[in-house]
Amino acid sequence: MTLRLFTIVVAAFAVGAILAGVWMLPRQGQPVVVQEGTALVGGPFTLTDQTGRRVTEADFKGRYMLVTFGFTYCPDVCPTDLQVMAAAVEMLGEEGGKVTPVLITIDPERDTVAQMASYVGNFHPRLVGLTGTPEEIRAAARAYRVYYAKVKDESSSAGYTMDHSALTYLMGPDGKYLAHFPFGTKPEAMAAKIREFL
Ligand code: NI
């Protein structure tokens, strides 16, 4: 996503959060369960990694997953995000080995397995790049409450770019949501937060 579109995405996310909040309001007579909206982030997915292997959320069981959604043709926000994730994992030293950084593309049209393979290594040797069919990507994005949309972009050779929410999630070894990081989080802050859970 471009910085130009960032404000729109933040606004869209805010609206989504409000809607989610309304949706989660307890119905009368039901017990009130205090739960953060983000606790609903995550869930099953079936995707393909950069080696062509089919993977599901079960493949990440027992490992912490630091996951973000983006696309390899993203001019600025995604590369920055991935650099921060990689730096945070490195700052954790040996403990960082428990954390698998993951990029899930929201642009499966251009982000083929080969494209993901040539991209992820630029950021971290253990960065996993996941792609899939448009339906598989839609399901994964829905599970993580990620907004994305194709937008016209004359300056791009493909004629479009992707607008998407720029959040990074920390998921636990049981696949459950632990924390999230907004765009602009410093690697030191991300590493410190992750360390609380390791
Ligand atoms: Ni992006």
Side-chain angles (χ1 to χ4, degrees):
M1 149 175 97
T2 62
L3 285 167
R4 178 169 55 86
L5 293 167
F6 187 61
T7 333
I8 300 167
V9 174
V10 168
F13 186 78
V15 170
I18 291 162
L19 290 177
V22 170
W23 176 63
M24 290 189 305
L25 281 178
R27 272 183 257 153
Q28 245 181 347
Q30 287 186 331
V32 178
V33 179
V34 179
Q35 191 179 45
E36 261 188 86
T38 37
L40 297 170
V41 166
F45 60 77
T46 303
L47 295 164
T48 304
D49 75 9
Q50 77 275 12
T51 69
R53 196 171 68 98
R54 296 288 279 165
V55 297
T56 73
E57 74 290 346
D59 291 288
F60 293 91
K61 282 274 153 68
R63 290 186 285 166
Y64 292 83
M65 184 166 65
L66 189 60
V67 59
T68 195
F69 287 70
F71 65 116
T72 69
Y73 289 86
C74 183
D76 37 45
V77 171
C78 292
T80 305
D81 244 1
L82 293 169
Q83 278 164 10
V84 169
M85 286 165 66
V89 169
E90 285 310 296
M91 279 174 190
L92 292 167
E94 210 170 299
E95 289 278 279
K98 296 179 187 169
V99 183
T100 304
V102 178
L103 166 67
I104 300 179
T105 184
I106 41 77
D107 184 14
E109 203 175 304
R110 285 183 290 184
D111 286 341
T112 58
V113 168
Q115 174 64 17
M116 294 301 267
S118 71
Y119 187 75
V120 289
N122 296 327
F123 296 93
H124 194 274
R126 290 191 296 104
L127 176 62
V128 175
L130 300 179
T131 186
T133 65
E135 292 72 28
E136 288 167 350
I137 295 299
R138 203 174 302 129
R142 195 178 293 137
Y144 281 82
R145 303 290 189 269
V146 167
Y147 155 84
Y148 67 100
K150 201 176 191 175
V151 288
K152 211 176 214 171
D153 180 11
E154 303 299 348
S155 68
S156 158
S157 59
Y160 74 91
T161 188
M162 299 302 292
D163 200 359
H164 64 95
S165 44
L167 281 177
T168 300
Y169 297 106
L170 177 67
M171 310 300 287
D174 56 357
K176 296 256 167 64
Y177 164 90
L178 293 177
H180 69 274
F181 307 95
F183 179 72
T185 299
K186 296 274 176 291
E188 294 78 8
M190 192 179 280
K193 187 73 190 173
I194 296 170
R195 203 186 297 274
E196 288 176 21
F197 295 100
L198 296 183

